[in-house]
Amino acid sequence: MMWSEECDAHFLNYNGKYGDKWDSIHIPRLQVIAAGHNVISVPVDYPHPIDQTQEETGNLLQSYKRFGQIDNLVLSIWREAYELGLTTQVPPS
């Protein structure tokens, strides 16, 4: 992601209020967007380690971890979007 220097504070001041599993990347970005700034994605040449893929493939414990991260992200983004007034649909508690 790329953003202007004036948006740094959103990332530097994020307090992990949703558990800080991956929300520390996504919630500040949502706050930046809600504040009217632009965030762009920039393609990078990232070769994912083959060993990591092999270790995670078919590993139920790893899948459990990933599902927890996804659950955290969906709910935290939804709750933050609601708090920022970006949606009127109330998230589950």
Side-chain angles (χ1 to χ4, degrees):
M1 296 178 294
M2 290 184 67
W3 58 86
S4 64
E5 191 174 324
E6 63 192 88
C7 299
D8 287 348
H10 289 278
F11 290 87
L12 296 173
N13 297 329
Y14 182 67
N15 63 5
K17 68 181 181 178
Y18 297 106
D20 205 11
K21 291 187 179 182
W22 277 356
D23 51 294
S24 61
I25 298 167
H26 299 280
I27 296 301
R29 178 172 36 176
L30 187 62
Q31 293 168 343
V32 165
I33 293 167
H37 301 285
N38 292 322
V39 176
I40 61 172
S41 295
V42 180
V44 294
D45 184 21
Y46 168 73
H48 190 72
I50 294 171
D51 293 347
Q52 183 179 350
T53 300
Q54 290 173 340
E55 183 179 318
E56 292 181 4
T57 300
N59 182 332
L60 290 177
L61 189 56
Q62 190 64 37
S63 296
Y64 178 77
K65 175 184 173 183
R66 294 290 182 233
F67 290 137
Q69 289 170 325
I70 291 168
D71 183 54
N72 169 265
L73 273 179
V74 170
L75 289 175
S76 63
I77 289 171
W78 190 352
R79 289 177 181 140
E80 190 70 18
Y82 181 75
E83 287 181 21
L84 293 170
L86 298 173
T87 183
T88 58
Q89 193 168 17
V90 179
S93 51

